[in-house]
Amino acid sequence: WDRADLDTLRSELEQGHDIIVGVEAGELWQDGRSGGHAVWVTGIKQDARGGIEGLFLNDSGNEEIDGGGYVPVEVFQDAWLPRGNFMVSTKHAAIEQSGGATR
């Protein structure tokens, strides 16, 4: 998707699809660097009314969060917008197997 929105992102996650988004690195890391970067969105945190408070990411470029962590929705949107709200998702639900269990 070009120009995806948070509702589309949430819908794809709810369907079990894996999602990668393009972001502006410095905005995401809040350190003034510049450049495109990609992160894997692994989940969202919602408030009691279903509003998105933040997102959980796997981010190989952020050593401070050991490759994963939580980002407030405002920070995420500030990083996502400069890259055109670009998003890629799997067509089918991703299946993870661990000891015979699936998610």
Side-chain angles (χ1 to χ4, degrees):
W1 282 266
D2 286 318
R3 308 277 176 229
D5 58 28
L6 289 172
D7 289 331
T8 302
L9 190 150
R10 178 194 339 235
S11 174
E12 290 296 303
L13 279 175
E14 288 172 349
Q15 294 176 63
H17 298 174
D18 285 328
I19 297 172
I20 295 178
V21 297
V23 294
E24 181 65 30
E27 291 291 334
L28 184 64
W29 302 330
Q30 298 182 321
D31 67 3
R33 284 187 271 180
S34 176
H37 185 56
V39 295
W40 179 12
V41 180
T42 60
I44 57 173
K45 179 180 178 186
Q46 299 182 85
D47 62 24
R49 291 184 268 179
I52 297 176
E53 291 182 351
L55 295 95
F56 295 94
L57 309 174
N58 279 351
D59 181 359
S60 62
N62 191 339
E63 295 173 9
E64 290 181 22
I65 58 173
D66 242 359
Y70 175 80
V71 176
V73 69
E74 296 83 9
V75 172
F76 178 80
Q77 287 181 300
D78 286 347
W80 198 25
L81 182 62
R83 295 297 165 173
N85 288 32
F86 180 76
M87 181 178 91
V88 176
S89 72
T90 56
K91 187 173 182 177
H92 303 286
I95 298 175
E96 178 182 296
Q97 295 190 4
S98 174
T102 60
R103 81 169 163 111

